[in-house]
Amino acid sequence: MAHSYLYAGVAGYFGRPRDAGAVGVFRRRTDGGEWEHVLATSEVHTLFVHPKDPDLVFAGTSDGVWHSPDRGASFRRAKFPDGGTQVWSFIAIDDAPDRMYAGGSPLGVYRSEDRGASWERLPTPEIRPRCECPFSPRVMRMAQRPGRPDEIYAALEIAGSMRTTDGGETWEDLNEGLVRLSDRPHLRSSIVQRETHAEGMLDGHAIAISPAIPDTPIIALRMGLFRAREGGRRWEDLEVGRFSPTTYARDIKVSPHDPGTLYTALSVAADSRDGGVYRSTDAGETWQRFDRVQVNGTVMSVGLHHSDPDLVCIGARYDGEVFATVDGGETWQACPLPGPVKDVYAVACG
């Protein structure tokens, strides 16, 4: 029987380009052992274990897509059309498991029809820029609407959200409703902007769709968690601050074992020393603290195992912090990366 692994993706941070430390992909067996540095040539922003084939592991890097056919033991660059493109997200389509999508920066979407071995660039989404930022907008996460393989929602960093209903050939801008919410005083945020207070509501990090409520995606933003209505033309605040003292939402994922269970990573800010993982068992209506650890950096990522519901891992930005539970959150083990490393951006398990 093949072993399960924890994976951690490490990249640099915009504000500290000279910090020392390794980047790339690390892996470690879930039953213990040492971390292996299995990809060291590129910064890694996202990791993805194929839900139908855990031997296939993908790394979204500062140089396109890298993939492993052997559970991360070795990586090679996929046939990817653009050099030097940052890849920030992956999705596999439930109804067509050989089809995958990748999201990048500068803003772009790529499609594969052979489980990630080769990729084609799709037409550039026509999303109206509303914010200027020191980096190009990023496709941070995508989520397929269950039962409709061509309907996909995406969360965009500093560019909000968008939707396609034709498999990525065209995209609809879903930002008017997010911008309207920024008129509420507690949802105003501007760090680098001077001409708009909607920056925080357009700072998208992740998006997920529960099969229990397939027409209402939930997006994780700088300002919290928000649910889409009417195909994303209207958004409502889930007011996650009722359940958590921190509301900067970096990740959200649906359990592959229970359609009504979701996990979200909530912290103080992008650059912070506190945060936690919260779980909802009612499709996002209420949330409770799930982890039992004290992090020393922003919680960036939650990793869920596709065949073991009790195995969950989390990654915090600084100091190579990775934690895992093998008993559904009752106990936690610290699994720090061998240092020095730069910033943890993603974790996965499978």
Side-chain angles (χ1 to χ4, degrees):
M1 181 177 179
H3 293 292
S4 289
Y5 288 90
L6 305 178
Y7 303 93
V10 180
Y13 180 54
F14 179 80
R16 304 192 314 276
R18 292 185 175 85
D19 271 13
V23 298
V25 178
F26 293 78
R27 79 164 187 170
R28 174 185 183 272
R29 279 173 48 172
T30 57
D31 59 1
E34 302 296 324
W35 286 99
E36 304 170 81
H37 195 184
V38 291
L39 176 60
T41 55
S42 297
E43 296 187 348
V44 171
H45 304 108
T46 190
L47 292 167
F48 184 76
V49 178
H50 197 287
K52 303 298 184 183
D53 184 356
D55 286 343
L56 295 178
V57 182
F58 297 85
T61 79
S62 54
D63 183 27
V65 174
W66 287 63
H67 65 141
S68 168
D70 49 19
R71 297 193 180 224
S74 62
F75 279 86
R76 60 178 179 266
R77 194 175 189 272
K79 294 179 181 178
F80 193 77
D82 297 332
T85 295
Q86 296 180 357
V87 171
W88 288 83
S89 58
F90 293 105
I91 183 177
I93 301 303
D94 289 340
D95 312 75
D98 288 342
R99 184 182 304 163
M100 296 179 60
Y101 292 85
S105 176
L107 188 68
V109 179
Y110 301 80
R111 184 171 59 207
S112 170
E113 299 288 356
D114 54 12
R115 293 204 178 190
S118 61
W119 298 82
E120 63 170 331
R121 183 183 177 93
L122 297 175
T124 301
E126 297 183 3
I127 304 302
R128 180 166 68 88
R130 292 173 171 84
C131 291
E132 295 182 2
C133 195
F135 54 82
S136 297
R138 303 162 174 166
V139 183
M140 295 291 288
R141 187 69 56 78
M142 291 176 281
Q144 175 206 345
R145 196 276 189 198
R148 298 178 187 171
D150 290 333
E151 184 172 350
I152 300 167
Y153 291 76
L156 314 175
E157 193 159 29
I158 303 297
S161 183
M162 63 183 185
R163 178 182 75 147
T164 180
T165 57
D166 56 14
E169 296 297 327
T170 61
W171 293 86
E172 177 186 3
D173 187 316
L174 303 182
N175 290 319
E176 289 301 323
L178 294 173
V179 171
R180 283 196 297 272
L181 284 175
S182 72
D183 289 334
R184 301 179 183 181
H186 72 289
L187 297 180
R188 297 181 179 186
S189 177
S190 180
I191 297 175
V192 299
Q193 304 295 307
R194 293 294 178 266
E195 297 181 359
T196 177
H197 53 242
E199 178 187 307
M201 288 300 300
L202 296 172
D203 193 10
H205 299 133
I207 197 163
I209 303 176
S210 165
I213 45 170
D215 291 318
T216 55
I218 299 177
I219 192 169
L221 300 168
R222 182 192 303 175
M223 309 310 292
L225 301 178
F226 298 81
R227 178 177 287 158
R229 300 289 188 184
E230 301 170 12
R233 297 173 184 84
R234 181 170 63 88
W235 294 86
E236 61 184 23
D237 188 356
L238 292 184
E239 299 179 355
V240 72
R242 293 176 294 159
F243 311 102
S244 168
T246 59
T247 57
Y248 173 88
R250 188 72 196 192
D251 198 4
I252 185 167
K253 287 188 170 77
V254 179
S255 166
H257 310 283
D258 178 1
T261 297
L262 296 89
Y263 299 82
T264 188
L266 302 174
S267 295
V268 178
D271 180 5
S272 69
R273 296 284 173 175
D274 196 12
V277 173
Y278 286 73
R279 180 174 63 181
S280 172
T281 56
D282 53 14
E285 294 296 331
T286 61
W287 298 84
Q288 291 183 323
R289 182 75 179 255
F290 175 68
D291 69 283
R292 297 172 182 263
V293 303
Q294 176 59 58
V295 298
N296 294 298
T298 299
V299 182
M300 300 292 283
S301 180
V302 182
L304 306 178
H305 198 286
H306 281 275
S307 60
D308 185 350
D310 291 329
L311 178 54
V312 180
C313 59
I314 65 177
R317 173 161 242 162
Y318 306 123
D319 305 323
E321 287 192 310
V322 178
F323 301 88
T325 177
V326 296
D327 54 15
E330 291 299 316
T331 61
W332 289 83
Q333 179 184 6
C335 312
L337 298 178
V341 294
K342 291 197 177 183
D343 291 357
V344 174
Y345 273 73
V347 292
C349 49

